[in-house]
Structures are given as C-alpha cells and as structure tokens.
Amino acid sequence: MGLDITVLAVDREQLERTPYAERYALLEDAAASEDELGRDARPQEGWVWPAAPEAAWYGRYEFHHTCGSYKPHFWAGQAWEDIRGHVGQETRERLDAFLRELIWDDGTEDDTDAGPFAENPGLRPPRLLLTRPPRAVSDLARHWARAEPLLESVREYFGAHPTRPGRWIEDFDEFSVLLREWGTVVTGTHRRGWGLVGLPL
C-alpha cells in the first residue's frame, strides 16, 4: 500500500463549466480504468482516450512499470537531487526547469495553484498531487524540448555517483524511461492546449 498517482490531461475550460461541487467526482470517474478494461484484460499503457463523446474532455496516461504508484516518481526526483550537482550547468538548468514543475522538490515555496478548485477560496480544495494549467504545460513542453537532447549525458553521472540503494529508481535507464514518459505526457497535453491534473488515486 502507498500513495498512488493518476495523471489526466484535461480540457480545463470544459471542466470549469461543471458545477464546483461536482468537479472532483468527475475527475475521479475519469481516473477509473474499469470502464475501458475487462476483468481479464492486461493493463493498458500510455495514453488512454475514452471513446464516448461525452468523455472527450480528458485523457489518462498510464505509466509503464509503475503499477500506478507515486513512489517511482518521487524517487526519480530524489535521484535527480543526488546527481544534479555533478552534471554540467546547461543540463542541470534544463532538467531543473522540467522536473521542478512535475516530480522534483527543489525546496522553494510551492506556487502550484488549486487548478479547477481555485475559484472558491472559502472551501478547502481536494488534494491534488499535480495541477498545471495549459500555459504551464506549454512551458513544460518547451523545457522538455530543450532538456531531452541532453538527457543521455546524465548517464555517466549515475555510474560515478550512484543513488542510495533501496529506491524504485536505481539507475539511469529507469530514470530516463520515466522522464521520457513525462515528456510524452506534457507534449501530448500541450498539443491539445489542455492542462494536467494528478490525483492521488
């Protein structure tokens, strides 16, 4: 048992047209996978786009080899914290800009807004692991385009400065696979002009 994450690309404008009190339940329904899979089917991976017209406002991304857990994402951020001081300045700046908005806590104050739940400050918003409006997703896509060509250069630093044992992300290959999937997430969401939401489900 532990913290899970379900990442959704969402049409923020359509979501925000839904009554405030109904939005989180709508996101929970979007995060559920039982509607696309039979009991004996293999779990899907990558983007899952609902076929129903009324569900055309979202897509769900299923990460490979994470079993829906948040732990690999957390430990990827920790792995980056371990080695970032050893990589070149340009690589560090590019990956910092990308990971800071997703899975790496750089120790600065979190400026994440409450996303589709920000308009009612009198109510405590539901817990979200990630919320990025379309503008921020566009920035992330730009950061990834600059960081991705430099990613392979990080490999040597994983060998020279190995991360601590017992983590879900133990080597460069695991780190790289997860980051490239996040690259797929932000670029696919950006192409639609949508926002991102990460639910603890």
Side-chain angles (χ1 to χ4, degrees), residues 53-127:
E54 63 272 17
W57 60 273
Y58 75 89
R60 187 178 68 252
Y61 190 85
E62 299 286 355
F63 287 88
H64 300 63
H65 312 304
T66 68
C67 301
S69 174
Y70 184 71
K71 288 181 180 179
H73 308 278
F74 171 81
W75 286 117
Q78 292 298 299
W80 176 241
E81 181 68 26
D82 283 349
I83 66 165
R84 61 180 296 276
H86 304 287
V87 307
Q89 180 178 352
E90 182 183 9
T91 301
R92 181 169 61 251
E93 290 176 352
R94 300 302 191 203
L95 283 170
D96 276 356
F98 181 64
L99 294 174
R100 183 184 294 116
E101 298 295 321
L102 293 172
I103 58 174
W104 172 55
D105 181 3
D106 65 351
T108 60
E109 184 177 351
D110 185 6
D111 60 354
T112 300
D113 65 25
F117 302 96
E119 68 189 50
N120 197 333
L123 296 176
R124 183 177 182 179
R127 184 183 184 193

Side-chain angles (χ1 to χ4, degrees), residues 23-182:
R23 291 177 192 173
Y24 195 73
L26 196 63
L27 290 171
E28 287 182 312
D29 289 344
S33 60
E34 288 79 4
D35 53 344
E36 289 95 9
L37 297 177
R39 179 174 299 178
D40 299 324
R42 295 181 60 185
Q44 293 179 311
E45 296 177 336
W47 282 115
V48 179
W49 302 105
E54 63 272 17
W57 60 273
Y58 75 89
R60 187 178 68 252
Y61 190 85
E62 299 286 355
F63 287 88
H64 300 63
H65 312 304
T66 68
C67 301
S69 174
Y70 184 71
K71 288 181 180 179
H73 308 278
F74 171 81
W75 286 117
Q78 292 298 299
W80 176 241
E81 181 68 26
D82 283 349
I83 66 165
R84 61 180 296 276
H86 304 287
V87 307
Q89 180 178 352
E90 182 183 9
T91 301
R92 181 169 61 251
E93 290 176 352
R94 300 302 191 203
L95 283 170
D96 276 356
F98 181 64
L99 294 174
R100 183 184 294 116
E101 298 295 321
L102 293 172
I103 58 174
W104 172 55
D105 181 3
D106 65 351
T108 60
E109 184 177 351
D110 185 6
D111 60 354
T112 300
D113 65 25
F117 302 96
E119 68 189 50
N120 197 333
L123 296 176
R124 183 177 182 179
R127 184 183 184 193
L128 298 173
L129 298 176
L130 173 72
T131 173
R132 294 290 179 262
R135 171 183 44 78
V137 172
S138 177
D139 291 341
L140 280 166
R142 186 174 66 254
H143 292 322
W144 175 244
R146 294 171 176 172
E148 193 275 336
L150 303 173
L151 182 57
E152 185 64 28
S153 69
V154 176
R155 180 184 294 276
E156 64 178 291
Y157 300 101
F158 266 83
H161 306 279
T163 60
R164 285 166 278 182
R167 299 183 170 194
W168 282 53
I169 300 295
E170 295 185 351
D171 57 33
F172 172 78
D173 289 332
E174 293 179 350
F175 178 76
S176 175
V177 165
L178 193 59
L179 260 63
R180 292 183 190 281
E181 287 205 81
W182 275 111

